[in-house]
Amino acid sequence: MATFNYKQDAVQLAKEVMALYNQGKIEDAKSLCNDKILDLAKLYKPSTLCKGIQLCYRKAIFSESGLEEYRYTEYPVSLFSVPIEMVQNTNETTRDTVERQLNDYIFIKSESIDKMLQKAVELIKKDCISGQDYYEKAVGIALLTGRRIYSEVLLQADFEAINSNNISFTGQAKGGVEKSLESYKIPVLGSDSKLIIKALEDVQNYIKNRDWFDSLESEKQLSDKTKKPIERAVFQNFTTILKDEKILLTPHDLRKIYATICWYRLTRCKGSFTAYAATLLGHSYQSKVSGKIRPDTRTAESYDKFRITE
C-alpha cells in the first residue's frame, strides 16, 4: 500500500483551490479545503495537522497563487484553516500559536454585517427631529461610504451620483489640497446613491448652522464638539448589534468595516486586502523613482482589522 505523501497532495490541492478561487468560486474553494482537512484529521494528530501540515498546504496555495507576500490570515491562503474545534484538542503550545494567529483579526458574523447595513440605511432615511438624529445619520453615511466621519462626512465631503450603486467623492481630508480636489469613484453599500447624497446634505447643513461652527479653527475642534454624540450614535446603533460577539466599535472602525465588506462582497476577496483598501480609500503616494502614483499599502495595513465569518 502506497504511503500518503501530504506534500505532493498539497501541491495538487493548491491547483484545484486556485482554479476555483480564480473563477470567483470562493465557497467552493473553501469547501474543498474543509473536506481535505477532515480527511487529514483521520491520518494525523491534531497538533501535527494544526502546525506543520497546515503550513505545508498553505504554502502550496501561496505558491500557486502567484502573490508576492505570504499572509496566512488573508485569502486565498487562509482558505485552508483548521477549524477551532480541532485546535482545542491540541496541546497548550499549539493552541497558543493558533490563537495568536486568530487574534490578529476581529471576526464579525455575516448576519451581523447585514444587520449593520440595514440599520445604516434606516439611519440615513430617518426624519431628523433632534440633533442626535443628525449624528446618527452621519454614522450611517460613514458605514455605507467609508468616509471619515469628522473631517469628511460632517464637513468637506462632496458626493455626486454615478449610478445607483456608485458615487464620485471629492473632499479627501488627508494628503493636502491636491488630494482634496481629486474625485474618487466609490461604491455605496446597501443604499441608493441619491439617498446618500441627500443624507450628506442634511448632515452638513445641520453642522454648518450650529452657533459654534463659524468659530471653528481646526478639524480637531470640530471632532471635540461632536465626539460624544458621534460615539453615542455608533454605540447605540452598531455596537449593540455586535453585543453577542463582544465587539466594541470606535467611529473609525466603520471605515475599516466598510473596506472589509467591499473586499468580501464586491471582489469576493480577490487579491490582497491592503492593496484593494489603499485604492478604495484613496491611500496613495508618488514614487520618488518613477514619479507614478502608487497605492499606499503600508497605511492600508492599519485598516486590516476585521474579517467576516458565516
Side-chain angles (χ1 to χ4, degrees):
M1 182 177 177
T3 303
F4 177 73
N5 187 323
Y6 71 81
K7 293 183 179 179
Q8 290 181 358
D9 186 65
V11 173
Q12 180 58 39
L13 180 77
K15 291 179 180 180
E16 296 173 14
V17 168
M18 288 310 303
L20 292 169
Y21 181 79
N22 289 330
Q23 296 174 50
K25 298 178 179 179
I26 309 298
E27 294 305 318
D28 290 344
K30 189 184 294 185
S31 294
L32 186 63
C33 289
N34 290 341
D35 289 344
K36 177 58 66 175
I37 289 169
L38 292 175
D39 290 341
L40 292 168
K42 298 173 185 176
L43 301 174
Y44 299 98
K45 294 179 180 179
S47 57
T48 304
L49 176 58
C50 289
K51 295 171 73 176
I53 293 179
Q54 177 169 249
L55 178 63
C56 178
Y57 279 84
R58 285 179 165 181
K59 288 285 189 180
I61 293 172
F62 167 71
S63 178
E64 187 69 23
S65 73
L67 295 174
E68 295 181 359
E69 183 180 0
Y70 176 80
R71 299 189 69 181
Y72 60 80
T73 49
E74 194 166 285
Y75 280 174
V77 174
S78 66
L79 287 169
F80 194 97
S81 294
V82 175
I84 192 66
E85 307 85 66
M86 290 188 184
V87 176
Q88 290 170 345
N89 291 327
T90 63
N91 57 47
E92 186 176 356
T93 302
T94 302
R95 287 199 304 273
D96 287 346
T97 299
V98 176
E99 284 172 6
R100 276 201 304 275
Q101 294 177 356
L102 289 175
N103 287 336
D104 283 347
Y105 290 103
I106 295 173
F107 293 88
I108 303 178
K109 294 177 182 177
S110 182
E111 178 184 0
S112 297
I113 290 293
D114 291 338
K115 290 179 180 178
M116 290 177 69
L117 292 175
Q118 182 180 357
K119 171 58 70 173
V121 173
E122 291 174 6
L123 294 177
I124 69 166
K125 287 181 176 180
K126 73 185 297 184
D127 293 327
C128 296
I129 299 172
S130 67
Q132 186 62 28
D133 290 338
Y134 287 97
Y135 293 114
E136 292 189 344
K137 187 167 287 199
V139 300
I141 295 169
L143 180 61
L144 300 178
T145 66
R147 295 304 95 206
R148 297 176 177 92
I149 295 180
Y150 300 107
S151 55
E152 294 174 356
V153 174
L154 297 186
L155 190 61
Q156 67 184 51
D158 182 65
F159 294 162
E160 290 186 15
I162 295 175
N163 52 44
S164 60
N165 301 314
N166 295 276
I167 56 177
S168 175
F169 158 66
T170 308
Q172 181 91 320
K174 295 186 178 180
V177 175
E178 186 175 340
K179 277 237 179 180
S180 71
L181 296 176
E182 289 183 27
S183 294
Y184 302 85
K185 178 183 177 182
I186 59 173
V188 173
L189 297 176
S191 180
D192 183 89
S193 296
K194 292 181 180 179
L195 290 174
I196 283 286
I197 292 170
K198 177 63 169 61
L200 183 70
E201 290 175 353
D202 290 345
V203 168
Q204 291 183 348
N205 285 337
Y206 171 78
I207 293 296
K208 290 172 183 176
N209 284 315
R210 297 304 88 207
D211 293 338
W212 42 259
F213 181 78
D214 289 336
S215 65
L216 295 178
E217 296 180 357
S218 67
E219 176 198 326
K220 185 179 183 306
Q221 288 185 347
L222 175 64
S223 63
D224 289 343
K225 283 282 187 183
T226 58
K227 181 179 180 180
K228 287 185 178 179
I230 287 293
E231 289 181 343
R232 189 182 309 122
V234 172
F235 179 82
Q236 292 177 344
N237 293 285
F238 299 127
T239 300
T240 51
I241 292 174
L242 304 176
K243 62 182 179 181
D244 291 341
E245 291 152 276
K246 299 180 181 179
I247 299 171
L248 184 62
L249 297 177
T250 68
H252 193 55
D253 282 336
L254 300 184
R255 182 165 161 86
K256 298 174 183 179
I257 292 173
Y258 166 82
T260 304
I261 296 172
C262 289
W263 186 59
Y264 268 82
R265 297 189 174 181
L266 302 185
T267 77
R268 305 291 292 174
C269 303
K270 290 284 287 183
S272 164
F273 171 82
T274 51
Y276 175 74
T279 301
L280 176 71
L281 300 175
H283 295 149
S284 61
Y285 69 96
Q286 187 171 26
S287 171
K288 294 180 180 179
V289 178
S290 66
K292 294 182 179 179
I293 302 299
R294 299 188 180 281
D296 183 2
T297 54
R298 181 167 296 182
T299 298
E301 284 177 359
S302 66
Y303 288 79
D304 198 6
K305 178 178 179 179
F306 296 97
R307 285 292 180 267
I308 301 174
T309 60
E310 296 303 321

